[in-house]
Amino acid sequence: MKINDIDVSVIQKAKNSYPQISVIIRCKNESKSIAKCIEAILNQQINTQFEIIVIDSGSTDDTVKIAQKYNVTIYSIPSSQFQFGSSINLGIKLAQAEYCVFVSAHAIPANSKWLSSLVKPMQEDKNIAGTFGRQLYHMNSDFIQKRCIDETFGKKQKLYTISSGSFKQNLKNISFSNASSCIRRDVALKIKFSDVIASEDREWAYRVMKKGYRILYVSDSLIYHVHNETPNQWYRRIYINSLALYQFAGIRINLIEIAPLAFWKIIKDMKYCRNNNISIDAIVLKKSIKYEYLYALAHYKGSHK
């Protein structure tokens, strides 16, 4: 069948009766984590019925086969038709419930309150269009990943609102992450996600807040979500995010800003290590210099393509 111009195949239909929450997992080649993700969701403590929908975009490993062991609905789409925004729109369309919770297949709920913590604020306040949870790192994550996660996902809950101005002007007050989020279905059906190459979550959050809705960061909804990346993977992710921000918001850095940006990030790494009792040796310093130079270069290159 065709939905929103995407070819959708039904692999498996779950047995559900009138769910109030739809949990949507987007995945491709996630055989190592899909079972952990589904089981952590099934173990949630919540007095509300929910369904689990898996949207697979052309896995070539055992992701689908593993998911079929559970009472979940599974859809498959061609990998060539996958885009971040359109896959969210598809999940919204396929969902039966008003509250649509999105989670990456490699993101694992950290406790049994993850789901209820995401949904409850939206049940209590109809002006909240979306909530997103706090992401945690694993103990074996490197210091750069730990610093990035701690800086982005703090311990305090925060409500985001804007009234006027461009995305660029409101940059510091726009935050949202579909690695672990809850979206109000009726809002998302009216204000759809855009098919930008990255940061589709923040771009959508900006547009819904411009319409008067609010976004809530829920710090007690906890999920493990870490990118343990090689230098090339790190560069590629930063490059794509920078390109996206330039394409839809006109945000870019200049050539003369590369060195100061890299230096500033290295200083932040060293302060984080010092404050968290991480020994600063030649290996740590070398890694910080390498990764943060790539970070700054990727920001420049992505915003100047």
Side-chain angles (χ1 to χ4, degrees):
M1 60 182 174
K2 213 171 188 67
I3 302 176
N4 296 346
D5 294 324
I6 300 175
D7 296 312
V8 182
S9 300
V10 182
I11 305 299
Q12 174 175 294
K13 293 288 283 185
K15 296 178 181 179
N16 294 299
S17 56
Y18 308 109
Q20 295 174 274
I21 301 169
S22 296
V23 181
I24 300 141
I25 306 171
R26 295 177 297 167
C27 59
K28 180 182 180 181
N29 293 335
E30 297 281 7
S31 60
K32 293 182 179 179
S33 60
I34 188 67
K36 292 180 183 178
C37 181
I38 292 174
E39 288 176 7
I41 295 169
L42 292 173
N43 288 329
Q44 292 298 298
Q45 293 181 4
I46 185 169
N47 295 323
T48 306
Q49 190 167 16
F50 62 87
E51 65 173 341
I52 298 177
I53 299 172
V54 175
I55 301 178
D56 183 81
S57 53
S59 288
T60 56
D61 63 4
D62 289 334
T63 299
V64 173
K65 184 178 180 180
I66 294 169
Q68 285 179 293
K69 298 177 181 179
Y70 301 91
N71 182 35
V72 301
T73 296
I74 305 172
Y75 296 98
S76 177
I77 66 173
S79 59
S80 60
Q81 294 182 8
F82 174 85
Q83 295 188 72
F84 291 107
S86 60
S87 66
I88 293 286
N89 294 333
L90 177 62
I92 296 289
K93 191 79 172 179
L94 294 169
Q96 298 184 64
E98 170 61 12
Y99 305 106
C100 298
V101 173
F102 285 86
V103 59
S104 299
H106 55 274
I108 313 300
N111 57 35
S112 60
K113 298 295 184 180
W114 162 77
L115 184 58
S116 60
S117 297
L118 271 182
V119 176
K120 186 178 179 181
M122 299 185 68
Q123 294 173 322
E124 297 174 343
D125 187 346
K126 292 184 178 181
N127 287 321
I128 296 176
T131 60
F132 66 106
R134 183 182 175 197
Q135 298 180 24
L136 306 175
Y137 51 76
H138 298 289
M139 292 310 296
N140 63 350
S141 298
D142 68 41
F143 65 94
I144 295 176
Q145 294 294 331
K146 289 179 178 179
R147 178 187 63 75
C148 290
I149 289 176
D150 280 347
E151 283 184 355
T152 307
F153 301 97
K155 296 180 180 180
K156 293 183 179 180
Q157 183 166 292
K158 183 175 181 179
L159 184 67
Y160 292 89
T161 62
I162 60 174
S163 57
S164 62
S166 66
F167 187 101
K168 187 175 182 178
Q169 291 169 327
N170 287 282
L171 184 62
K172 293 183 179 180
N173 203 39
I174 302 171
S175 190
F176 196 55
S177 173
N178 280 329
S180 174
S181 67
C182 182
I183 297 168
R184 195 177 296 278
R185 188 172 187 266
D186 62 346
V187 174
L189 287 173
K190 292 183 295 185
I191 307 173
K192 293 180 170 57
F193 281 77
S194 300
D195 275 328
V196 293
I197 61 171
S199 296
E200 82 293 338
D201 35 24
R202 295 178 70 198
E203 193 273 342
W204 179 81
Y206 166 70
R207 286 187 289 116
V208 297
M209 286 192 288
K210 287 276 283 186
K211 293 291 186 181
Y213 293 101
R214 300 185 285 183
I215 298 292
L216 181 67
Y217 169 60
V218 185
S219 57
D220 56 355
S221 178
L222 307 176
I223 198 158
Y224 289 104
H225 181 237
V226 181
H227 297 281
N228 286 319
E229 298 163 311
T230 65
N232 286 340
Q233 291 170 330
W234 166 263
Y235 178 90
R236 181 64 178 167
R237 181 166 62 85
I238 304 303
Y239 176 92
I240 291 174
N241 283 329
S242 182
L243 175 58
L245 286 174
Y246 175 67
Q247 287 179 339
F248 68 73
I251 298 171
R252 69 182 348 171
I253 69 168
N254 297 317
L255 182 62
I256 61 172
E257 296 178 275
I258 293 178
L261 177 58
F263 180 75
W264 176 63
K265 300 288 282 188
I266 293 166
I267 293 299
K268 293 178 78 172
D269 285 343
M270 296 304 101
K271 286 183 177 179
Y272 183 85
C273 289
R274 184 188 63 194
N275 294 336
N276 290 275
N277 298 316
I278 299 172
S279 178
I280 302 174
D281 54 19
I283 295 175
V284 167
L285 183 58
K286 184 178 179 180
K287 182 169 187 176
S288 177
I289 292 171
K290 181 176 183 178
Y291 272 70
E292 303 305 7
Y293 170 72
L294 288 174
Y295 175 93
L297 183 63
H299 259 295
Y300 172 74
K301 292 284 191 179
S303 65
H304 286 265
K305 182 177 178 182

